[in-house]
Amino acid sequence: GVGAFSVALMENTCRRRLLCLQVDQCAGQLMTVTAAGESECHQLVNRHPCLILDACFEGLEDTIDCPCHFVVPCGERVALGYTGACRPGAERLKPGSTVLLRLGDVSAQDHVTELLVRLDRASQLLLQPTRELPMAVALRVELRQRVAKITVSPVGYMMGAYSASAPGAQSGPAVSWALEVDVRVPALGVAFVGDRPLRSELFRCQLTGLKLACHQSSDGRRETLCEIASLQIDHHGSTRGKAGRKLSSSVIAASLATHRALRLRVVRVALQESCDVVLRSIDLEFVPGNSDGIVLE
């Protein structure tokens, strides 16, 4: 049928060659077959520092032949290919093949879990810690021109939105973490440049005392604070007269002497039993504590 077929051909008893066959149907009954190298085959990427991966195509999991298994240590990428085509009596490779993926803890041999991964559909999955594998694992399947890329990685900051009720996910305690971020920038200038004349500067925004802080507790409460000590927006233009082109500059907006020009504080809480969040409060202060405020020209 039509699809991408990753096939492993044995060069000898210990060495295999992988190639990817892309079968497409053009107008009418015309079929095209394109052969590519190992880089175009299904890929398995291991980004988890505590896991070692062992993958084989479904139906070949009982065999002990090394060519049927693809082992991926941390930090490596391995191409996957179906070796059953070289085995007498083995089923033919189908476009929507399934891979049996074993995840093993590198520090404990008895901590192993298995799951089936479809290669014909994109998916994302979060495996919660269990007795068999006491760590959270994120798994993502991406498709590009019918070729799958499977990535196994630790649970990152943005993985909290995945649900343990997804197909193949395992139940376990919820993943929670604390986070502290504090970024301070003494001065920052942003300029907008036009093409004419000679890529001259049109607008410029100057910020000083920029501060960004984020505090997240393990119970899902996050407080984000953004402060700007002072700001100024300038406009640079030019006018054409009898004496030629004359450059001019003007201040569009500027904060006067104040300890803080802008302060934004957002507090949100994540719900324990769902992926939703609740905004508890949003506080915006524009030039607080200064009666002079902002000067507009």
Side-chain angles (χ1 to χ4, degrees), residues 14 23 49 89 96 285 297:
C14 300
V23 182
E285 299 179 15
E297 295 185 359

Side-chain angles (χ1 to χ4, degrees), residues 26-81:
C26 302
Q29 300 297 324
L30 182 62
M31 304 286 291
T32 61
V33 180
T34 305
E38 180 176 323
S39 60
E40 302 299 324
C41 294
H42 300 305
Q43 302 287 325
L44 178 59
V45 183
N46 185 6
R47 296 179 179 173
H48 203 298
C50 302
L51 293 180
I52 185 169
L53 309 180
D54 182 0
C56 65
F57 281 81
E58 188 180 17
L60 303 177
E61 59 270 13
D62 295 332
T63 180
I64 60 175
D65 297 341
C66 293
C68 297
H69 292 263
F70 299 85
V71 180
V72 188
C74 174
E76 295 190 11
R77 174 201 299 253
V78 173
L80 304 178

Side-chain angles (χ1 to χ4, degrees), residues 5 11 90 111 163 240 245 290:
F5 304 86
E11 184 174 337
H111 290 166
S163 173
R240 185 183 297 273
R245 184 176 297 275
N290 183 12

Side-chain angles (χ1 to χ4, degrees), residues 83-103:
T83 56
C86 304
R87 298 168 54 86
E91 297 183 359
R92 66 182 180 90
L93 182 61
K94 301 178 181 179
S97 298
T98 303
V99 169
L100 177 64
L101 184 60
R102 291 188 176 96
L103 299 85

Side-chain angles (χ1 to χ4, degrees), residues 83-294:
T83 56
C86 304
R87 298 168 54 86
E91 297 183 359
R92 66 182 180 90
L93 182 61
K94 301 178 181 179
S97 298
T98 303
V99 169
L100 177 64
L101 184 60
R102 291 188 176 96
L103 299 85
D105 191 346
V106 294
S107 60
Q109 297 182 356
D110 56 337
H111 290 166
V112 179
T113 189
E114 298 179 352
L115 70 153
L116 295 174
V117 180
R118 293 284 299 270
L119 300 179
D120 60 343
R121 62 181 61 176
S123 60
Q124 299 182 90
L125 187 65
L126 172 63
L127 301 181
Q128 299 284 5
T130 60
R131 181 178 302 176
E132 292 78 13
L133 191 65
M135 65 184 71
V137 180
L139 186 143
R140 182 174 66 252
V141 181
E142 301 172 281
L143 288 181
R144 183 178 181 182
Q145 296 181 350
R146 305 191 187 97
V147 177
K149 176 186 175 183
I150 307 172
T151 305
V152 178
S153 60
V155 176
Y157 175 71
M158 297 301 295
M159 287 301 299
Y162 291 93
S163 173
S165 60
Q170 304 180 24
S171 60
V175 181
S176 60
W177 61 89
L179 177 68
E180 290 282 352
V181 177
D182 191 355
V183 180
R184 299 173 186 267
V185 181
L188 177 64
V190 180
F192 297 88
V193 179
D195 292 335
R196 296 178 182 179
L198 299 177
R199 297 186 61 83
S200 59
E201 185 176 275
L202 299 179
F203 294 93
R204 182 175 182 83
C205 180
Q206 186 70 31
L207 306 176
T208 61
L210 180 62
K211 175 184 177 182
L212 178 62
C214 178
H215 170 72
Q216 176 173 301
S217 58
S218 58
D219 58 357
R221 186 182 186 275
R222 181 191 302 171
E223 179 179 350
T224 305
L225 179 65
C226 179
E227 291 184 354
I228 299 176
S230 65
L231 64 90
Q232 179 172 327
I233 302 176
D234 300 328
H235 172 256
H236 304 282
S238 61
T239 57
R240 185 183 297 273
K242 296 181 179 180
R245 184 176 297 275
K246 180 181 180 181
L247 299 178
S248 61
S249 299
S250 60
V251 178
I252 298 179
S255 60
L256 300 179
T258 177
H259 68 286
R260 189 170 60 235
L262 178 68
R263 184 177 188 269
L264 174 63
R265 178 176 176 268
V266 179
V267 178
R268 69 93 162 150
V269 177
L271 301 182
Q272 296 292 335
E273 302 299 332
S274 68
C275 303
D276 300 328
V277 296
V278 176
L279 291 176
R280 294 298 186 188
S281 64
I282 300 179
D283 300 328
L284 176 61
E285 299 179 15
F286 205 49
V287 194
N290 183 12
S291 57
D292 295 330
I294 294 286

Side-chain angles (χ1 to χ4, degrees), residues 2-24:
V2 176
F5 304 86
S6 294
V7 181
L9 303 177
M10 300 308 300
E11 184 174 337
N12 51 47
T13 56
C14 300
R15 188 174 182 180
R16 59 192 174 197
R17 296 279 187 178
L18 280 80
L19 59 91
C20 181
L21 299 177
Q22 287 275 2
V23 182
D24 295 288

